[in-house]
Amino acid sequence: QVQLVESGGGLVQPGGSLTLSCAASGSSINIYAMRWYRQAPGKQRELVAKISSSGITDYADSLKGRFTISKDNTKNTVYLQMNSLKPEDTAVYYCNAGLTFYAEGHYWGRGTQVTVSS
């Protein structure tokens, strides 16, 4: 099993940047595909970005070019760099881990709130 803890959320002005972190414990992220999801109030959860155990990345089409997922296996941590933030990026961001790149994983963090507002 793996435990996931997100951090780095907060309040940011439109056009600003944030980097979220997802620290894993209990197991190495080397073997997992890692994902970031987000859920805005009143909306369904959506996949933001994912990274395979070998480092292959994929993004929601609407976010390509603004968000970057990466990981540091030595720190057992996954990151989400978010640039040019917009009010519609406001959501709770969740980290997810699973054994396949092609489906949602079983392990979830509790989320971190990102609010984009002036």
Side-chain angles (χ1 to χ4, degrees):
Q1 287 192 348
V2 61
Q3 293 77 46
L4 306 171
V5 178
E6 303 93 337
S7 62
L11 175 63
V12 62
Q13 291 188 341
S17 298
L18 274 178
T19 299
L20 305 183
S21 300
C22 171
S25 60
S27 185
S28 172
I29 62 171
N30 278 345
I31 66 171
Y32 291 103
M34 303 296 295
R35 292 172 178 79
W36 284 99
Y37 287 83
R38 68 183 184 184
Q39 187 165 20
K43 294 188 177 181
Q44 288 189 334
R45 186 175 60 206
E46 63 173 339
L47 178 64
V48 173
K50 58 183 179 180
I51 186 166
S52 73
S53 57
S54 63
I56 297 169
T57 60
D58 195 18
Y59 299 88
D61 287 341
S62 62
L63 300 175
K64 287 180 181 177
R66 292 198 299 124
F67 287 18
T68 303
I69 189 171
S70 62
K71 63 176 180 172
D72 185 336
N73 289 333
T74 64
K75 295 182 178 180
N76 224 29
T77 300
V78 179
Y79 304 96
L80 184 68
Q81 172 71 41
M82 306 184 294
N83 298 324
S84 302
L85 284 163
K86 305 174 182 180
E88 51 264 43
D89 295 319
T90 295
V92 178
Y93 285 71
Y94 297 93
C95 185
N96 172 267
L99 293 177
T100 175
F101 188 61
Y102 302 103
E104 180 180 291
H106 292 295
Y107 304 105
W108 291 91
R110 292 188 175 183
T112 185
Q113 175 71 47
V114 172
T115 303
V116 184
S117 175
S118 55

